[in-house]
Amino acid sequence: MTDRIPGLFAMDPVYLPKLFPEPYLRRLRSVLDIDPDYVARDFTDDRAAAALAEAEVVVTGWGAPRLDPPVLAAAGKLRAVLHAAGSAQWVDRAVYERGIAVVSAQQANAVPVAEYTLGMILLAGKDIFGLRDRFRAERGFVIGEDHGTTGNFGRTVGLIGASRIGRRVIELLRSFDFEVLLSDPHVDAEEAARLGVRLVDLDSLMAWSDIVSVHAPDLPETRRLVDAKRLAAMKDGAVLVNTARGSLVDTDALVAELAAGRVSAILDVTDPEPLPTDSPLFDLPNLFLTPHVAGSQGNELARMGRFIVEEAERLAAGEPLLHAVDPGLLSIQA
């Protein structure tokens, strides 16, 4: 099969079999001349440097070494980086400047994050976490008891950011009886109408929403976007969901609001991350905390692998890559 494109794996080797189980690895190797028994961890060692000099495609993942200008100088044949993970922010600008195509599996990684978000929105709307704790404490319940304002009919859900994940969440929410608000400075009214959401400014979204879910990118201008003032504007009983990055929320201000018992939160990401063992976030009863697991885990990694296999097949067939990263948009994406 001499017509296969020379390739090289570069990532933490532990992820290779999870990303490319046998059926996907077979498909990948049918179009790429790539050795699954060798995974580069450092492009500066002799074996990796020799392999990179011949590679036209590098398949990367979590833990991949950086393709910086000195490394690229020795990679004269390289024409594509296929990243079997989410954000492409780790890719050096020099890669794009060389005209090398970069593909990210960010769209595939958005799927489990959006599913996690949907699940948490639905559970939060029913006050499942609060009712669970009450049930444990009282060890009994009254059949037919009115649980006040719980329920998902007619709730207002506010989404901060129309990222890939935010847009996937919008799609999933269409099946439910929610009013969906969106705040995103890069979306206009016409696009919001196409998405089927109501475009509002961030302050209004924070004040009007029953559940707020954060999907904005981690950029200098978004740091502590959800600050003390905006947290204080949330309705009594409102819920904040964050699966984006912890830095987007003012942690100290959120702790103060949660400690007051006025709002609750669901956090899969924190600032800092990991949290110190004495963080008050571990002990707040109105906070549901998970350890950054909303993204691809376990068998979900194979979805990202399939995504990359399909792009490799397009590359080999001379077809346009469907998920090439636009370097012009990197400044507004995660």
Side-chain angles (χ1 to χ4, degrees):
M1 300 180 67
T2 57
D3 56 342
R4 293 181 298 162
I5 302 171
L8 172 66
F9 285 116
M11 64 183 74
D12 185 331
V14 71
Y15 294 116
L16 186 63
K18 299 176 183 180
L19 289 164
F20 302 104
E22 185 54 37
Y24 294 154
L25 183 60
R26 192 183 314 119
R27 283 174 59 184
L28 188 66
R29 296 189 72 196
S30 73
V31 294
L32 298 184
D33 183 7
I34 193 166
D35 182 2
D37 294 324
Y38 178 65
V39 183
R41 296 298 310 277
D42 181 352
F43 288 133
T44 63
D45 72 51
D46 291 343
R47 183 176 180 184
L52 185 62
E54 297 301 319
E56 295 181 32
V57 174
V58 176
V59 178
T60 60
W62 291 319
R66 191 169 179 83
L67 285 160
D68 56 20
V71 169
L72 284 173
K77 298 179 182 179
L78 187 62
R79 58 189 175 107
V81 175
L82 307 182
H83 188 49
S87 174
Q89 290 287 4
W90 70 277
V91 177
D92 197 287
R93 281 280 181 180
V95 174
Y96 300 103
E97 291 167 0
R98 266 267 305 269
I100 296 168
V102 177
V103 166
S104 166
Q106 197 165 25
Q107 191 74 39
N109 195 46
V111 174
V113 182
E115 292 171 347
Y116 174 105
T117 302
L118 173 65
M120 293 302 175
I121 288 172
L122 294 174
L123 291 173
K126 293 281 284 188
D127 189 27
I128 292 300
F129 303 116
L131 292 174
R132 173 205 58 186
D133 292 343
R134 179 183 165 191
F135 193 18
R136 283 177 171 173
E138 297 180 1
R139 298 179 181 268
F141 68 98
V142 178
I143 295 175
E145 179 181 353
D146 180 10
H147 292 292
T149 59
T150 62
N152 284 308
F153 179 69
R155 284 235 184 246
T156 299
V157 176
L159 304 180
I160 302 176
S163 61
R164 289 179 178 87
I165 296 168
R167 289 167 188 262
R168 179 67 174 171
V169 172
I170 290 171
E171 292 175 11
L172 295 176
L173 290 176
R174 289 192 186 120
S175 299
F176 302 92
D177 292 309
F178 292 118
E179 179 186 14
V180 181
L181 308 181
L182 172 67
S183 177
D184 188 316
H186 304 289
V187 173
D188 59 23
E190 183 178 348
E191 185 177 8
R194 287 197 301 269
L195 292 171
V197 297
R198 181 182 171 195
L199 190 65
V200 298
D201 63 82
L202 181 54
D203 290 334
S204 297
L205 182 144
M206 296 296 298
W208 297 345
S209 300
D210 299 302
I211 301 170
V212 174
S213 190
V214 183
H215 302 289
D218 181 15
L219 304 170
E221 58 268 32
T222 60
R223 184 167 179 80
R224 293 192 173 87
L225 185 68
V226 181
D227 57 14
K229 179 181 177 182
R230 286 171 172 149
L231 288 166
M234 293 178 73
K235 294 179 178 179
D236 289 352
V239 183
L240 177 73
V241 182
N242 189 8
T243 58
R245 287 293 184 269
S247 63
L248 275 65
V249 177
D250 184 328
T251 299
D252 291 340
L254 179 60
V255 167
E257 288 290 345
L258 293 173
R262 200 181 62 78
V263 299
S264 58
I266 297 167
L267 303 181
D268 186 56
V269 290
T270 57
D271 183 27
E273 195 172 67
L275 288 169
T277 56
D278 61 351
S279 170
L281 291 176
F282 285 117
D283 301 311
L284 289 161
N286 50 344
L287 170 62
F288 187 77
L289 187 64
T290 56
H292 204 143
V293 294
S296 296
Q297 303 288 324
N299 61 25
E300 294 167 336
L301 271 69
R303 181 190 285 114
M304 295 194 294
R306 182 184 67 186
F307 195 89
I308 292 305
V309 168
E310 291 169 350
E311 286 286 71
E313 291 170 341
R314 293 184 189 101
L315 183 69
E319 299 172 359
L321 297 172
L322 297 186
H323 302 284
V325 175
D326 181 349
L329 298 178
L330 288 173
S331 63
I332 61 170
Q333 293 180 342

